[in-house]
């Protein structure tokens, strides 16, 4: 997406599998970088699942404070099941955003929520895992944007090498 900046921030993620899937989503949905806090991911990274090697093109960095990486034009959007949050279908995504997601087994700290420009949740029955939530939010952002690449060339570039199926008219 031209002229936008998107950062995904993860609060103390514990699962290397989820972080690998977040990196894959980052590559699919125009994310500029992924940052995370905490030590749990560093211990689990041996189970790397970044199957598309996205971390070679999109930085994945450990940070002490997610909010230190917000530019002046960037809005902070917290995504979690938090009372008083706005449902994602009604949310208008800002051009430049730092999306902050809670950990798999906890929530975003109140001090971060208090500094957010918006707090949203995905209206599901039960909670999704971290990577699924990131995918849904980033897809929602793309679906609501004016930038849509929708042609057979995109399909050819994106699909698995074993997929050569076509729709017959």
């Amino acid at each position: 997406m031209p002229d936008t900046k998107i950062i995904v921030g993860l609060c103390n993620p514990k699962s290397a599998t989820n972080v690998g899937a977040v990196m894959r989503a980052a590559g699919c949905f125009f994310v500029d970088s992924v940052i995370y806090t905490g030590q749990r991911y560093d211990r689990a990274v041996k189970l790397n699942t970044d199957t598309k090697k996205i971390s070679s093109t999109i930085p994945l960095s450990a940070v002490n404070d997610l909010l230190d990486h917000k530019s002046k034009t960037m809005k902070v959007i917290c995504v979690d099941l938090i009372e008083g949050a706005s449902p994602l279908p009604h949310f208008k995504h800002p051009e430049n955003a730092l999306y902050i997601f809670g950990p798999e087994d906890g929530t975003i700290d109140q001090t971060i929520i208090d500094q957010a420009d918006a707090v949203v949740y995905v209206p599901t029955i039960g909670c999704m895992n971290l990577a699924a939530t990131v995918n849904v939010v980033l897809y929602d952002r793309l679906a609501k944007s004016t930038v849509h690449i929708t042609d057979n060339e995109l399909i050819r570039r994106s699909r698995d090498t074993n997929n050569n199926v076509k729709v017959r008219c």
Side-chain angles (χ1 to χ4, degrees):
M1 283 187 173
D3 302 323
T4 63
K5 178 89 172 174
I6 304 168
I7 298 174
V8 168
L10 308 175
C11 296
N12 197 22
K14 72 174 185 175
S15 165
T17 303
N18 264 331
V19 176
V22 167
M23 291 303 294
R24 188 166 183 166
C28 290
F29 296 112
F30 307 103
V31 170
D32 295 289
S33 64
V34 177
I35 57 178
Y36 66 93
T37 60
Q39 305 298 317
R40 299 187 307 173
Y41 171 71
D42 293 333
R43 289 191 298 266
V45 75
K46 297 175 199 93
L47 306 171
N48 187 5
T49 59
D50 183 6
T51 59
K52 295 286 187 178
K53 306 295 183 226
I54 299 300
S55 56
S56 65
T57 57
I58 297 174
L60 172 63
S61 308
V63 299
N64 290 322
D65 187 338
L66 295 171
L67 296 175
D68 285 349
H69 298 273
K70 169 186 131 19
S71 71
K72 290 182 179 168
T73 61
M74 194 168 275
K75 301 292 184 190
V76 174
I77 312 304
C78 290
V79 183
D80 210 339
L81 289 171
I82 297 173
E83 290 184 34
S86 300
L88 184 62
H90 301 160
F91 181 66
K92 183 178 187 298
H93 296 268
E95 188 172 313
N96 298 301
L98 166 56
Y99 293 97
I100 297 178
F101 297 84
E104 296 92 332
D105 56 353
T107 191
I108 300 170
D109 191 87
Q110 186 69 53
T111 59
I112 295 174
I113 295 294
D114 292 344
Q115 296 177 68
D117 295 289
V119 181
V120 300
Y121 72 100
V122 180
T124 59
I125 303 210
C127 62
M128 295 186 297
N129 76 12
L130 173 62
T133 304
V134 171
N135 273 279
V136 167
V137 169
L138 294 176
Y139 177 77
D140 184 76
R141 178 187 174 90
L142 177 66
K144 291 175 180 174
S145 78
T146 58
V147 176
H148 294 283
I149 305 167
T150 54
D151 59 18
N152 285 331
E153 179 54 34
L154 173 68
I155 293 168
R156 283 190 289 274
R157 283 192 336 248
S158 300
R159 68 184 172 193
D160 185 88
T161 57
N162 296 321
N163 179 352
N164 292 310
V165 178
K166 295 181 181 176
V167 174
R168 296 183 196 262
C169 298

